[in-house]
Amino acid sequence: MSVIVISGGRRLEGCVHVQGSKNSVLPILAASLLSGCVSVIHNCPDLSDVAASVAILEHLGCRVVREGDTITVDSSTLDRCDIPEHLMREMRSSVIFLGAVLARTGEARLSMPGGCELGPRPIDLHLWALRRLGAEIAEQGGNLRCSARGLRGCDISLTIPSVGATENAMLAACAAKGRTAIYNAAREPEIVDLQDFLCTCGASVQGAGSSVVVVDGGVPLHTAEHRVISDRICAATWLAAGAAAGGAIEVEGVPREQLLPVTDLLAQAGCGIREEAQRVTLTGDGRLRAVPPVRTAPYPGFPTDAQPPVMAAMTKGTGTTVFVETMFENRYRHTQELARMGADIRVEGRVAVVCGVPALQGARLEAADLRGGAALVVAALAAEGESQIGGLHHLDRGYERLTETLRSLGADIVRV
Ligand code: UD1
């Protein structure tokens, strides 16, 4: 089994061109089913979650070709509407195929996406939105059988601005007759990217980025070419790494406003931050000072996905910082591993209290989830001595060429 070995304490210096966004490319690959034509999707990161989506598309009968970072999906050959359990299990976000398959075929059969490492992640809002649009959904023994003879546009008001439920509702609404308005929609940049892709296919979707998304459905779709946006969570991870290890790093390709919650926090913690439209430069000495409480929240609040790597950076420094994780129950599993490196973190329910320590020590560590794994990498880069990090399949879900990227910044990191 491979591990990452990091000798910490090296300054990081250089520029990272940020990879394509995982959370954008997954729904866009699912959306490529809708047109029944060819979709050419550029800037697709090379990740196991992307491979899992491609496997689902191929199982459904699509022809998929990957050349470099471009994935071409021909969904004209789609010939089935079921997704077997082993493909659903690969990745929780495969639930996004529900709305897409239903929109394309009027039927979908798939197993419930399994529980996940962040705690229970219900799909009640996804199912509720699809039922509002006229889908009949039977849940039996972990399986979902959905049919929709004629979806109809309607008003959908989400009780939580769920990213996945907003995306599923948008996809299904493209096939519904008439207008659908999704209220309290998620406002994440990835929702805007999905809207942009759907519009390029010829769909009529507006409002993404605000809390009301309006879809005029039933419009025939066509061939499309689209470039996926850059990954703001990867950018946040590289900034956290620079803040923790010290140095001067630039992240390029993500609009500065998408990073504001993270750059504002790191600036308050004592880092130098310079921003241009699509580039953020961070300078720091690797010792951060405490900041006011950090509460994760839906966009444009502080992203839950950036909480673990930013917390890792805050462990080395002075003062006490409180984190409140409002999105997912079980998102502090990295804290036990950070404690093994000498971090002082107390967790009580959704609150973690981080007291800065003068130094972290390298240790043998195990990633328990994707962003928790990124937190361990950040801490190991800042620690004295050597760390070994296992559980790399989690990191492979979301970070393309992680070791190469960090090595290009001067880190002493290898995968063995
Ligand atoms: C997406 C992201 C994930 C990110 C999360 C929050 C993808 C592939 N994943 O996940 O990286 O951490 O947004 O920014 O884009 N909820 C319900 N019922 C539902 C759906 C959600 O109660 O039917 C709750 C969840 O338990 C959670 C909250 O809503 O507490 C937000 O979850 P949601 O926005 O749906 O996250 P995902 O789409 O799963």
Side-chain angles (χ1 to χ4, degrees):
M1 232 168 15
S2 31
V3 291
I4 285 177
V5 180
I6 297 176
S7 280
R10 296 245 197 145
R11 279 168 56 84
L12 300 183
E13 229 154 85
C15 178
V16 184
H17 187 78
V18 178
Q19 71 182 55
S21 164
K22 169 177 88 72
N23 289 352
S24 266
V25 73
L26 301 179
I28 288 172
L29 285 170
S32 71
L33 289 178
L34 263 57
S35 66
C37 301
V38 172
S39 301
V40 182
I41 307 163
H42 302 293
N43 203 28
C44 298
D46 185 9
L47 304 171
S48 59
D49 271 9
V50 172
S53 292
V54 167
I56 291 175
L57 290 168
E58 287 176 337
H59 168 83
L60 292 169
C62 300
R63 280 196 290 254
V64 187
V65 177
R66 180 167 192 138
E67 280 171 310
D69 74 357
T70 297
I71 295 181
T72 303
V73 182
D74 178 356
S75 64
S76 66
T77 47
L78 177 132
D79 58 2
R80 54 200 303 169
C81 65
D82 68 298
I83 304 176
E85 193 180 345
H86 71 274
L87 292 177
M88 287 300 290
R89 265 183 195 283
E90 282 287 303
M91 169 180 73
R92 186 195 178 276
S93 41
S94 52
V95 69
I96 198 63
F97 277 91
L98 180 56
V101 174
L102 199 61
R104 172 71 191 280
T105 68
E107 236 184 298
R109 288 197 311 277
L110 36 90
S111 64
M112 288 282 216
C116 96
E117 59 273 7
L118 303 182
R121 288 174 89 167
I123 58 164
D124 54 321
L125 288 171
H126 301 240
L127 302 185
W128 184 78
L130 298 176
R131 284 184 172 123
R132 286 282 297 159
L133 285 160
E136 285 167 24
I137 305 177
E139 300 168 56
Q140 217 174 34
N143 291 312
L144 295 169
R145 296 181 81 90
C146 315
S147 68
R149 274 176 237 96
L151 296 170
R152 290 171 310 279
C154 64
D155 288 342
I156 298 171
S157 177
L158 297 175
T159 48
I160 302 172
S162 155
V163 173
T166 302
E167 291 165 347
N168 251 329
M170 287 165 73
L171 295 177
C174 284
K177 276 214 176 74
R179 173 164 287 198
T180 298
I182 306 163
Y183 294 94
N184 197 26
R187 292 184 284 162
E188 270 68 359
E190 295 77 23
I191 303 286
V192 180
D193 205 23
L194 178 61
Q195 169 177 287
D196 289 347
F197 172 73
L198 290 170
C199 290
T200 308
C201 293
S204 169
V205 186
Q206 344 163 21
S210 79
S211 56
V212 186
V213 176
V214 178
V215 181
D216 286 302
V219 180
L221 305 184
H222 49 68
T223 295
E225 187 164 356
H226 179 80
R227 185 177 172 83
V228 171
I229 58 169
S230 299
D231 196 308
R232 64 197 166 94
I233 304 302
C234 286
T237 304
W238 308 137
L239 291 173
I249 70 163
E250 271 176 36
V251 295
E252 189 183 69
V254 179
R256 60 172 280 279
E257 62 274 10
Q258 291 183 14
L259 292 169
L260 275 177
V262 172
T263 47
D264 278 358
L265 181 151
L266 294 174
Q268 285 185 73
C271 297
I273 299 283
R274 206 179 68 231
E275 296 169 301
E276 293 160 55
Q278 300 272 336
R279 181 194 306 265
V280 173
T281 308
L282 174 142
T283 49
D285 61 6
R287 276 183 64 76
L288 301 180
R289 52 173 188 262
V291 297
V294 184
R295 286 178 69 87
T296 62
Y299 191 85
F302 190 93
T304 173
D305 290 348
Q307 174 264 109
V310 168
M311 180 189 289
M314 296 303 294
T315 57
K316 193 166 72 103
T318 53
T320 300
T321 301
V322 174
F323 287 81
V324 185
E325 174 54 61
T326 71
M327 306 288 287
F328 294 111
E329 270 173 36
N330 199 7
R331 200 147 210 187
Y332 284 144
R333 294 212 285 173
H334 50 286
T335 58
Q336 295 158 17
E337 298 297 283
L338 294 176
R340 300 180 61 231
M341 305 177 79
D344 179 351
I345 308 177
R346 272 158 296 151
V347 174
E348 181 90 34
R350 292 187 174 238
V351 175
V353 180
V354 178
C355 297
V357 293
L360 298 172
Q361 284 80 43
R364 280 173 182 261
L365 306 163
E366 189 70 20
D369 58 60
L370 166 58
R371 305 302 170 186
L376 304 185
V377 171
V378 168
L381 291 167
E384 292 167 359
E386 187 178 285
S387 296
Q388 281 191 20
I389 303 174
L392 300 187
H393 59 287
H394 293 297
L395 284 159
D396 293 339
R397 289 186 43 223
Y399 294 92
E400 176 182 73
R401 294 190 285 277
L402 174 93
T403 48
E404 290 82 346
T405 302
L406 287 167
R407 233 184 350 256
S408 75
L409 295 174
D412 184 342
I413 177 171
V414 283
R415 184 172 179 143
V416 290

